[in-house]
Amino acid sequence: MIYSKNKIALVDCNSFYVSCERLFNPSIIKKPVVVLSNNDGCVISRSTEAKLLGIKMGEPYFKVEKIVKKNDIKVFSSNYSLYGDISRRVMKTLKQFSPQIEIYSIDEAFLNLSSIKDDDLLEFGNQIRKIVLKWTGIPTSIGIASTKTLSKAANHIAKKEKSGVINLINSKEIDKILEKIKINDVWGVGRQLTKFYIKNKINTAYQLKNMSNNWIKKNTNVFGSRTAMELKGVSCISLEVHQEKRKNCCVSRSFGNKVTRLEELKEAITTHCLNAAEKIRIDGQTTKKITVFIRTSPFQKDRNYYANAKDVDLPFETNDSIELVKQALIVLKCIYKNGYRYQKAGIILSGLKDINIYKKNLFSTISNEEKRGKLMKAIDYTNIKYGRNALSIAQAGLKKKWNIKRQHSSKIDTACFELLPAVRA
């Protein structure tokens, strides 16, 4: 019976956004599919079939539109409320296998598998894949290794393997696998560092692993040194199982159509403010500072560029949507200029603090604060149960002509009964 000291698994959902769309639309399984970013701008998720047709990640949609039409590629606008809900289901399922979990992104998580026997790791990885697929419908790939960087490398290869699981614990194939991974695909190696390494004839993860640590320290930084050491099997990046609460909360969107009227900007800022307030209430936080910003498109050659932002310090800590919207609209009036075609607006809540250390406001009655608190709880409960914006305020508007473009929306919302697919027997 052998137990290695560190055993870390990286579980990554395959083409996550595409997989979420396929979950509610089985007719597009095994067909080329892409998901687009906000305002249907760029490709942000591709199925394997779409990759084989030459669709690149981050490619502007207008550049690949001909390939899409020629090959009948299915196109979807991004649906982040759906993806967020499915992600929570996946992460909740993963916690069944290890209480020590670091949720790295919406579709990735590191698991501590140190309690599992070395000989059982491969079978355990396959069990994770099987259960996640059964309980959530999302296919995954898993890389298991002694460090986070090596588990990332293992996962990179696992995506291409039919088994979907690569285990590098006590493996003699580590160097062969690292030889297959290009330097730009190594976790922690960005664009500038990639250029530097290639210039110095370091083209693969294997070559980086075998570089002198002194040379790496001298020519890069502490992060570059950590990456190289992790490739050697020395754990330098620990699991962050306790997630720190956010210090700032930003909600912003580019408009589907350019906005010129103050009333439409008010609707956008109100909507963003309501979303931000809901987020910090869910995290049990309050704010004392609001920043509102607006800008026109920097690519408008025919008109002058205008961008502005302004802060306001609140008299007391709060997470009250009504109070935050009131202050945000006062700020918007100060920075708005007539005659411009605005492309983007947003709001930032800064200096977030835990609600437990919130000090009562001396200038308002306790009963009033309690009533407002109950009102916010009622609004959040209703919106969680019946879908976001089921309860809102009039200033957020109804038609929202400024909203982002979603011409290819699948119109699926797991929090709304009307938008759930119907099954006919």
Side-chain angles (χ1 to χ4, degrees):
M1 188 187 297
I2 303 172
Y3 287 90
S4 297
K5 190 175 181 181
N6 280 332
K7 281 172 279 193
I8 298 170
L10 174 68
V11 183
D12 188 6
C13 300
N14 299 341
S15 304
F16 182 57
Y17 295 167
V18 168
S19 295
C20 290
E21 297 293 347
R22 282 174 167 174
L23 187 59
F24 294 92
N25 189 356
S27 66
I28 61 173
I29 292 173
K30 293 186 179 179
K31 291 184 179 179
V33 183
V34 296
V35 175
L36 305 177
S37 62
N38 285 340
N39 286 314
D40 297 340
C42 302
V43 176
I44 55 172
S45 185
R46 309 159 293 160
S47 66
T48 304
E49 297 81 4
K51 292 174 187 177
L52 294 173
L53 291 171
I55 304 290
K56 295 179 181 177
M57 181 66 89
E59 196 84 43
Y61 180 57
F62 73 88
K63 286 189 177 182
V64 299
E65 206 164 359
K66 287 183 180 179
I67 302 174
V68 167
K69 289 178 180 177
K70 183 181 176 181
N71 296 280
D72 191 27
I73 298 173
K74 307 302 176 186
V75 181
F76 293 93
S77 301
S78 53
N79 185 349
Y80 295 117
S81 59
L82 171 65
Y83 308 151
D85 184 32
I86 302 300
S87 173
R88 285 188 288 274
R89 297 183 194 186
V90 171
M91 299 308 166
K92 190 176 180 180
T93 303
L94 292 177
K95 286 178 182 177
Q96 305 287 324
F97 297 96
S98 175
Q100 288 190 300
I101 177 173
E102 176 188 337
I103 299 173
Y104 182 65
S105 67
I106 193 170
D107 63 344
E108 291 177 281
F110 290 101
L111 301 180
N112 186 346
L113 301 184
S114 299
S115 61
I116 309 301
K117 297 177 191 176
D118 290 4
D119 294 339
D120 295 339
L121 283 170
L122 199 59
E123 185 184 341
F124 193 75
N126 282 311
Q127 184 70 6
I128 293 174
R129 291 187 76 228
K130 184 179 176 181
I131 295 296
V132 171
L133 183 62
K134 184 178 179 180
W135 290 6
T136 69
I138 301 298
T140 56
S141 298
I142 301 175
I144 305 171
S146 58
T147 70
K148 289 172 80 171
T149 306
L150 278 176
S151 68
K152 268 276 191 179
N155 186 276
H156 182 77
I157 302 300
K159 286 182 181 179
K160 301 175 183 179
E161 297 285 330
K162 288 184 179 179
S163 66
V165 181
I166 294 292
N167 175 27
L168 297 184
I169 299 293
N170 300 323
S171 173
K172 296 177 181 178
E173 305 292 317
I174 294 179
D175 288 346
K176 286 184 180 179
I177 285 175
L178 294 181
E179 281 177 347
K180 296 178 185 177
I181 299 174
K182 294 179 182 178
I183 193 66
N184 61 299
D185 289 324
V186 176
W187 187 48
V189 178
R191 287 185 182 179
Q192 295 304 316
L193 204 50
T194 294
K195 291 177 184 177
F196 173 75
Y197 282 146
I198 291 174
K199 188 178 178 182
N200 287 275
K201 298 180 179 179
I202 303 172
N203 299 301
T204 65
Y206 175 72
Q207 290 174 327
L208 178 59
K209 173 190 171 182
N210 289 312
M211 286 301 297
S212 162
N213 200 41
N214 289 332
W215 183 88
I216 293 171
K217 278 183 178 178
K218 185 179 178 181
N219 292 281
T220 62
N221 53 32
V222 66
F223 300 107
S225 179
R226 281 181 189 173
T227 299
M229 291 299 289
E230 288 244 323
L231 289 173
K232 292 179 171 74
V234 180
S235 181
C236 301
I237 308 170
S238 58
L239 280 179
E240 296 179 13
V241 294
H242 301 293
Q243 289 184 311
E244 289 187 12
K245 288 185 178 181
R246 68 181 101 199
K247 295 179 180 178
N248 301 301
C249 179
C250 176
V251 177
S252 65
R253 293 286 185 276
S254 293
F255 300 128
N257 299 299
K258 300 291 190 297
V259 169
T260 56
R261 296 171 56 239
L262 176 60
E263 286 305 312
E264 289 182 307
L265 277 177
K266 282 183 176 180
E267 286 184 6
I269 290 297
T270 299
T271 302
H272 298 338
C273 197
L274 291 173
N275 291 345
E278 182 184 284
K279 287 174 187 284
I280 67 170
R281 282 199 299 272
I282 289 170
D283 287 345
Q285 294 179 297
T286 57
T287 184
K288 200 172 183 296
K289 182 179 179 182
I290 305 176
T291 304
V292 176
F293 62 89
I294 53 175
R295 70 170 173 82
T296 61
S297 172
F299 304 107
Q300 286 180 197
K301 295 180 182 179
D302 58 326
R303 292 177 180 271
N304 293 330
Y305 176 70
Y306 175 70
N308 204 348
K310 185 176 174 64
D311 304 330
V312 59
D313 285 315
L314 303 174
F316 52 87
E317 299 276 351
T318 185
N319 56 23
D320 185 325
S321 294
I322 297 171
E323 182 62 33
L324 292 173
V325 167
K326 179 183 173 183
Q327 296 296 333
L329 293 181
I330 293 171
V331 176
L332 175 63
K333 242 182 174 181
C334 296
I335 61 176
Y336 170 76
K337 278 190 178 181
N338 194 20
Y340 288 93
R341 300 172 71 235
Y342 294 95
Q343 186 209 27
K344 191 173 186 178
I347 185 161
I348 304 169
L349 305 182
S350 310
L352 300 182
K353 292 182 180 178
D354 196 281
I355 200 166
N356 294 328
I357 59 170
Y358 164 63
K359 294 178 181 177
K360 295 289 182 184
N361 174 26
L362 297 175
F363 302 101
S364 69
T365 62
I366 294 174
S367 61
N368 187 45
E369 285 189 33
E370 287 177 350
K371 285 178 182 178
R372 277 293 181 89
K374 287 178 181 178
L375 175 61
M376 293 303 115
K377 282 182 181 179
I379 291 172
D380 292 342
Y381 174 79
T382 305
N383 288 339
I384 289 169
K385 188 172 183 179
Y386 297 105
R388 176 167 277 178
N389 301 325
L391 267 184
S392 187
I393 61 177
Q395 288 156 307
L398 294 172
K399 293 182 179 179
K400 299 182 181 179
K401 295 178 182 178
W402 48 268
N403 224 336
I404 60 174
K405 287 180 183 176
R406 297 185 69 204
Q407 293 178 347
H408 308 280
S409 173
S410 55
K411 295 180 180 177
I412 298 170
D413 188 344
T414 49
C416 180
F417 284 108
E418 285 77 15
L419 295 179
L420 284 175
V423 177
R424 292 186 177 90

